């Protein structure tokens, strides 16, 4: 199943403040989502944020949604992992990049703690992720735009709002059971040097059985909807530190496993 989250790809800006990113384009994440598979429609493209290259200095000018932090690494599984026998070079490259990203994440988290003077808060994303996840999909199904504004970051909120505006059918989303417990697979941060702004992101792996039912105006179940689906998603949570204020965790969107192809594309657009 293909996700309908439309998220900006982020590339490092050479002329922006250190650790600042410029959004490049919107793309459809490849992570699976049951709701997307049963809606048979594309999410509308969200409006791109202004480039950080041309933003005036000052924390008030940095958008809340700067994209997925470049140091995010999601350990690939199954067929996304090169075979030791068929692609030993690729497997070694993946292992090397995994540790390279881990070291970068530790560095950035220390900067978050030292420069932003914010707590590490490493485990709270796991505690809150499932609750936010369920509230998000429930609110989306109920067309509760007000609640989505509190749960979602800007780009994701605009995408959901657009879908709700063009919706014709009533919907019901349900999470039936978890397949394993939610797991934190990435913890990263960025500090905008010269400003009072810092951003934290954490990726939580949520594997579940869920369903979404669609109903006609007469209340009849739309054929082909309502079946339970096995759904695995990597949910990105984000919080922001602005001067002395720290926001609550919100959902930025979803991401995908970091394959060799993803790494190759990313490394072409970034530098440490």
């Amino acid at each position: 199943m293909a996700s309908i989250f439309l998220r900006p790809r982020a590339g490092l800006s050479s002329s922006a403040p250190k650790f600042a990113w410029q959004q490049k384009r919107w793309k459809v994440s490849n992570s699976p989502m049951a709701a997307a598979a049963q809606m048979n429609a594309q999410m509308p493209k969200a409006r791109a944020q202004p480039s950080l290259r041309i933003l005036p200095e000052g924390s008030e000018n940095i958008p809340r949604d700067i994209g997925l932090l470049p140091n995010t690494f999601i350990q690939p599984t199954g067929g996304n992992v090169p075979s030791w026998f068929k692609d030993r070079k690729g497997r070694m490259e993946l292992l090397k990049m995994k540790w390279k990203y881990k070291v970068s994440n530790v560095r950035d988290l220390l900067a978050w703690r030292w420069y932003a003077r914010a707590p590490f808060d490493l485990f709270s994303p796991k505690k809150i992720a499932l609750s936010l996840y369920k509230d998000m999909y429930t609110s989306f199904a109920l067309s509760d735009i007000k609640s989505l504004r509190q749960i979602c970051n800007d780009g994701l909120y605009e995408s959901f709002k657009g879908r709700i505006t063009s919706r014709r059918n009533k919907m019901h989303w349900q999470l039936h059971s978890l397949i394993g417990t939610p797991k934190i697979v990435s913890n990263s941060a960025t500090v905008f040097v010269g400003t009072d702004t810092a951003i934290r992101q954490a990726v939580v792996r949520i594997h579940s059985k869920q369903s979404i039912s669609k109903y006609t105006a007469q209340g009849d179940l739309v054929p082909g909807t309502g079946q339970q689906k096995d759904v695995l998603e990597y949910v990105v949570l984000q919080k922001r530190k602005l001067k002395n204020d720290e926001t609550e965790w919100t959902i930025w969107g979803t991401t995908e496993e970091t394959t060799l192809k993803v790494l190759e594309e990313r490394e072409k657009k970034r530098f440490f």
Side-chain angles (χ1 to χ4, degrees), residues 1-2 4 33-43 137 140-141 159-160 163-164 167 169 171-173 211-214 222 224-225:
M1 293 173 287
I4 53 174
M33 186 166 67
Q38 297 183 31
M39 289 178 194
N40 297 317
Q42 294 269 327
M43 287 285 274
Y137 280 134
F140 179 49
S159 294
F160 276 139
R163 283 300 302 272
I164 290 172
R167 180 185 296 165
N169 302 99
M171 295 170 50
H172 175 72
W173 177 86
S211 67
I212 184 164
S213 304
K214 296 170 64 176
V222 175
T225 69

Side-chain angles (χ1 to χ4, degrees), residues 220-235:
D220 299 322
L221 180 67
V222 175
T225 69
Q227 296 92 347
Q228 290 189 32
K229 302 290 184 179
D230 187 344
V231 178
L232 171 62
E233 291 196 283
Y234 294 99
V235 182

Side-chain angles (χ1 to χ4, degrees), residues 9 25 29 31 42-43 107 113 120 133 141 164 167 184 208-209 212 229 233:
R9 292 179 65 89
R25 62 185 176 88
S29 168
S31 60
Q42 294 269 327
M43 287 285 274
R107 176 200 66 191
R113 182 70 181 92
F120 284 119
Y133 185 76
I164 290 172
R167 180 185 296 165
I184 297 177
S208 65
K209 287 187 178 295
I212 184 164
K229 302 290 184 179
E233 291 196 283

Side-chain angles (χ1 to χ4, degrees), residues 49-258:
Q49 298 283 358
S51 169
L52 292 181
R53 290 179 183 272
I54 59 176
L55 285 177
E57 292 185 1
S59 56
E60 69 277 4
N61 297 306
I62 298 175
R64 295 201 314 166
D65 193 340
I66 63 168
L68 184 68
L69 297 186
N71 282 347
T72 302
F73 183 93
I74 310 299
Q75 176 64 44
T77 59
N80 287 331
V81 182
S83 168
W84 279 112
F85 301 103
K86 297 181 179 180
D87 189 5
R88 185 177 180 84
K89 182 179 179 180
R91 186 66 173 265
M92 290 297 295
E93 179 66 17
L94 185 66
L95 187 61
K96 182 184 76 173
M97 294 304 297
K98 172 184 176 180
W99 286 104
K100 181 179 180 179
Y101 275 76
K102 280 184 176 293
V103 171
S104 297
N105 285 336
V106 171
R107 176 200 66 191
D108 294 341
L109 286 171
L110 288 174
W112 164 268
R113 182 70 181 92
W114 182 261
Y115 291 106
R117 301 185 183 280
F120 284 119
D121 203 17
L122 298 178
F123 303 107
S124 65
K126 179 179 178 180
K127 298 176 182 178
I128 197 173
L130 184 60
S131 176
L132 286 174
Y133 185 76
K134 292 191 291 186
D135 289 347
M136 176 183 70
Y137 280 134
T138 299
S139 298
F140 179 49
L142 294 174
S143 301
D144 187 351
I145 295 177
K146 183 177 180 180
S147 294
L148 286 172
R149 175 68 280 182
Q150 302 300 317
I151 299 167
C152 303
N153 212 334
D154 294 348
L156 181 58
Y157 166 73
E158 292 296 335
S159 294
F160 276 139
K161 183 179 178 181
R163 283 300 302 272
I164 290 172
T165 301
S166 60
R167 180 185 296 165
R168 296 180 180 180
N169 302 99
K170 292 184 178 180
M171 295 170 50
H172 175 72
W173 177 86
Q174 183 175 357
L175 189 147
H176 299 275
S177 62
L178 289 175
I179 304 175
T181 58
K183 179 182 179 181
I184 297 177
V185 294
S186 176
N187 252 313
S188 55
T190 185
V191 175
F192 293 88
V193 178
T195 74
D196 297 315
T197 302
I199 288 178
R200 274 284 315 279
Q201 285 185 355
V203 183
V204 181
R205 181 182 187 270
I206 299 180
H207 195 185
S208 65
K209 287 187 178 295
Q210 54 184 260
S211 67
I212 184 164
S213 304
K214 296 170 64 176
Y215 298 91
T216 65
Q218 292 72 35
D220 299 322
L221 180 67
V222 175
T225 69
Q227 296 92 347
Q228 290 189 32
K229 302 290 184 179
D230 187 344
V231 178
L232 171 62
E233 291 196 283
Y234 294 99
V235 182
V236 184
L237 304 185
Q238 177 175 299
K239 67 163 37 180
R240 173 183 169 117
K241 179 74 183 295
L242 179 61
K243 296 183 179 179
N244 295 322
D245 297 323
E246 187 174 340
T247 66
E248 299 294 333
W249 289 102
T250 59
I251 297 183
W252 176 86
T254 62
T255 188
E256 57 191 4
E257 293 180 356
T258 311

